[in-house]
Amino acid sequence: LYNLGNTYFHKKNYLKAREYFLKLRTLFPKSSHFDLALLKIGESYIREKNFEPAIYVFKRVIDVSKNQDNIIIARMELADIG
């Protein structure tokens, strides 16, 4: 599911990409790709200039991630948004 979402993301079909990332989160909440899917969801919102949901998603990464690298990425994205 992550790879499908990533494929749609790179094709700039952000809505379809989010569908797959959200399915991954719902069906496999313990997946090693869980944080990456959240980051991609946030990034997809940024690419659409839809900042409010992006902020929510990046804050969620900070709250739930156990991976320091992903937390740092989320914080950097939030700083870029302002």
Side-chain angles (χ1 to χ4, degrees):
L1 291 173
Y2 178 80
N3 289 335
L4 282 169
N6 213 26
T7 298
Y8 282 106
F9 183 89
H10 287 290
K11 291 182 175 187
K12 299 181 181 182
N13 187 341
Y14 302 119
L15 180 62
K16 193 73 165 174
R18 280 194 300 270
E19 287 178 25
Y20 282 101
F21 293 138
L22 289 169
K23 280 183 188 178
L24 176 113
R25 288 187 52 233
T26 302
L27 297 174
F28 304 102
K30 303 285 186 194
S31 169
S32 61
H33 290 101
F34 182 86
D35 291 352
L36 296 175
L38 278 177
L39 288 170
K40 286 288 191 177
I41 290 168
E43 191 176 338
S44 73
Y45 283 124
I46 287 175
R47 301 248 175 134
E48 294 175 330
K49 308 237 184 283
N50 195 354
F51 299 111
E52 191 172 321
I55 290 168
Y56 173 81
V57 171
F58 291 130
K59 285 181 178 180
R60 182 90 173 115
V61 171
I62 292 167
D63 290 342
V64 302
S65 182
K66 293 181 173 106
N67 182 311
Q68 270 313 111
D69 291 337
N70 292 336
I71 292 170
I72 290 168
I73 291 167
R75 286 186 175 147
M76 288 176 20
E77 292 287 359
L78 285 171
D80 286 345
I81 292 170

